[in-house]
Amino acid sequence: MSISTVNVSLTIDAGLIAAFSQLLQNGFWLKGDVDCSVKSFLCEQFVVSPEYLEKRIQTIFLNGQPVDDTDTAIVRDGAILTLSAAMPGLAGAVMRKGGFYASMREQISYKTESTSCSAQPGRVLVKLFNLPLQELGPFFLEHGIWIDGNIFKNVITVRLDDFRTSCKEVLVNGRRLEPDQLLKMDWGNGDIFLKVKTI
């Protein structure tokens, strides 16, 4: 069975959510309005509260550049956004947004763009680490993320026995399937809109 774009909805035991950790670290796509600030993208369109962004997400990279001000850092179509809590050691202190040592990385920090922005549809590759991985990962999965078909197949293959016992419902474009049937499908490089609900 060949698929180009497909909706996959999983209902799983809470313990199986760890099977998606590597996927969340490697990156998943969120689709929404881009050409807006990091804060607008995360807080107005998705599950992140302004307070959480300010207090819990201490390290942010936009296209590999440390971000200090989420109100002025602009997310473009195809951007890579990495979210982490405070990292340990001096390196972590230097990379922390708005931290005391931020001036030490001035040459690599994100510089505010002077061009005007008008929000338009696009997608952003998001990567989660440590606390945001644990705390935001399940919420993004429940909201829905976009991933490559081969990546999804690999997640199922590696943890197939766990999916057999802990996956309570599998829906593919609204059709109920057994976990084993997911491996028989030719996912190719098509996009999958994946939603994962825990019980």
Side-chain angles (χ1 to χ4, degrees), residues 120-131:
Q120 60 181 333
R123 66 179 192 168
V124 174
L125 185 70
V126 177
K127 299 182 179 184
L128 303 177
F129 293 92
N130 51 56
L131 287 178

Side-chain angles (χ1 to χ4, degrees), residues 9-187:
S9 178
L10 306 177
T11 301
I12 64 174
D13 289 335
L16 188 57
I17 200 72
F20 299 93
S21 294
Q22 192 65 49
L23 181 159
L24 296 173
Q25 290 179 23
N26 290 340
F28 57 93
W29 293 99
L30 293 179
K31 294 187 178 183
D33 287 335
V34 296
D35 289 355
C36 61
S37 70
V38 168
K39 184 174 183 179
S40 174
F41 183 78
L42 291 173
C43 299
E44 295 178 13
Q45 301 184 59
F46 296 101
V47 299
V48 184
S49 71
E51 182 180 17
Y52 186 93
L53 178 63
E54 176 66 25
K55 296 182 178 180
R56 301 288 278 180
I57 302 178
Q58 291 297 308
T59 306
I60 299 175
F61 289 90
L62 179 57
N63 297 327
Q65 296 180 303
V67 169
D68 287 305
D69 189 343
T70 58
D71 283 308
T72 60
I74 304 301
V75 176
R76 303 294 187 185
D77 185 31
I80 301 174
L81 187 62
T82 304
L83 309 177
S84 174
M87 297 185 293
L90 178 60
V94 171
M95 294 301 173
R96 194 169 303 158
K97 70 178 193 293
F100 179 78
Y101 298 102
S103 61
M104 295 176 65
R105 55 167 164 79
E106 184 176 358
Q107 295 301 314
I108 63 170
S109 295
Y110 175 87
K111 302 298 189 299
T112 302
E113 298 182 37
S114 59
T115 55
S116 60
C117 299
S118 178
Q120 60 181 333
R123 66 179 192 168
V124 174
L125 185 70
V126 177
K127 299 182 179 184
L128 303 177
F129 293 92
N130 51 56
L131 287 178
L133 171 64
Q134 301 170 23
E135 298 171 348
L136 293 182
F139 291 99
F140 279 123
L141 286 168
E142 187 167 356
H143 179 275
I145 62 175
W146 292 87
I147 60 172
D148 177 83
N150 286 323
I151 293 175
F152 176 68
K153 184 174 183 178
N154 185 62
V155 171
I156 300 297
T157 301
V158 171
R159 300 288 294 268
L160 181 58
D161 289 340
D162 294 326
F163 273 92
R164 284 172 174 155
T165 57
S166 300
C167 191
K168 304 307 179 184
E169 183 179 63
V170 177
L171 296 176
V172 177
N173 288 339
R175 177 187 172 200
R176 190 183 301 270
L177 299 177
E178 294 298 322
D180 288 40
Q181 292 177 275
L182 295 174
L183 295 182
K184 299 176 182 178
M185 304 179 78
D186 179 16
W187 299 102

